[in-house]
Amino acid sequence: ESLGQNAEEAEVKARLLRSEEERMALDRNFGQAQGELLAIRKQLMESTQRFADLTEQVDLLTNLHVAASQLHASLDPAAVLRSIQEIATNLVGAEAFHVFIVDEKTGRAELVLSEGQEALTSSVGPGEGIIGACLESGLPHFATDPRVRAATPFEAPLAVIPFDLSGAVVGLLSIHKLFQQKTAFSELDFELFRLLGAQAATAVFASRLHMTSERKLATLRGFIDMLKGPAGP
């Protein structure tokens, strides 16, 4: 403050003022650089998380593709059912679940497999409870909170995935407990359930056609053998 009495002191004072201004400018630049660095770090963390999520999705969909190949590898209904069971356990992570196949004559969903929970009934009709509603509409059902310590009651599944083939439900999967404690179903879960429903529907329908054709072929052969009659001496 005392500087400025002569030309030399005035020059020193001017230099000090310039230095202070430069220091303040450096402080501002440093603060801006810190803010940009934090933003870059945040973007990097978000990108890393997105990459991890994409990797998980690719791995899951790859596993589903492999499982779907196994699902369509056989036309035997028992083999198809085993493949659905493996997908539900290993990919979906279901600990307690039931698999239903729709009877073409009655239209009821017949229970063909139970895992981790005893079913209360052997079949469900259209509109009967949550499972019956999904059978009737062809739309899936998802609970708002899938966090459970024990399997939910048979009439209150966490999720129901219809095996829908061009608007016709040929089977269903009802899930009552998951191995992993989820706070909510994610978009990845919905995609997995959608693909599972489509692939399972195709496999069940193909195995049903094969079984029907084999039965008709056996009947036709028997009819032909009957027409031929017993062989002569």
Side-chain angles (χ1 to χ4, degrees), residues 10 41 44 54 75 85 93 99 108 157 159 172 179 181-182 188 223 231:
R41 285 180 177 176
L44 181 60
L54 288 174
L75 293 174
Q85 181 181 14
V99 180
R108 294 181 66 86
L172 304 101
F179 284 113
Q181 294 299 320
K182 292 179 177 291
L188 182 59
F223 183 69

Side-chain angles (χ1 to χ4, degrees), residues 64-228:
L64 180 60
H65 175 72
V66 174
S69 300
Q70 296 175 352
L71 190 63
H72 297 287
S74 175
L75 293 174
D76 179 30
V80 171
L81 186 60
R82 285 194 300 270
S83 296
I84 294 175
Q85 181 181 14
E86 291 176 1
I87 293 174
T89 302
N90 299 326
L91 290 185
V92 176
E95 184 176 354
F97 59 91
H98 306 282
V99 180
F100 300 85
I101 299 298
V102 178
D103 188 295
E104 291 181 288
K105 296 180 179 179
T106 64
R108 294 181 66 86
E110 302 293 336
L111 181 69
V112 294
L113 173 69
S114 292
E115 183 76 26
Q117 184 188 54
E118 184 178 354
L120 297 179
T121 180
S122 60
S123 69
V124 177
E128 295 179 2
I130 295 176
I131 298 175
C134 295
L135 169 62
E136 188 174 42
S137 67
L139 299 175
H141 161 78
F142 300 103
T144 55
D145 188 359
R147 294 173 297 181
V148 293
R149 292 186 178 181
T152 59
F154 180 82
E155 65 275 8
L158 294 177
V160 179
I161 298 92
F163 303 158
D164 185 277
L165 184 68
S166 301
V169 177
V170 297
L172 304 101
L173 169 66
S174 67
I175 300 173
H176 298 261
K177 188 177 187 299
L178 297 169
F179 284 113
Q180 298 178 352
Q181 294 299 320
K182 292 179 177 291
T183 57
F185 289 113
S186 66
E187 290 297 326
L188 182 59
D189 294 321
F190 297 144
E191 181 67 14
L192 175 61
F193 293 145
R194 185 186 69 80
L195 292 175
L196 171 59
Q199 295 294 333
T202 305
V204 169
F205 184 73
S207 66
R208 176 179 290 173
L209 284 180
H210 175 72
M211 184 172 59
T212 302
S213 63
E214 286 292 316
R215 186 170 57 249
K216 289 182 178 180
L217 180 59
T219 302
L220 181 60
R221 284 175 178 171
F223 183 69
I224 292 174
D225 291 341
M226 184 180 65
L227 290 178
K228 288 181 178 179

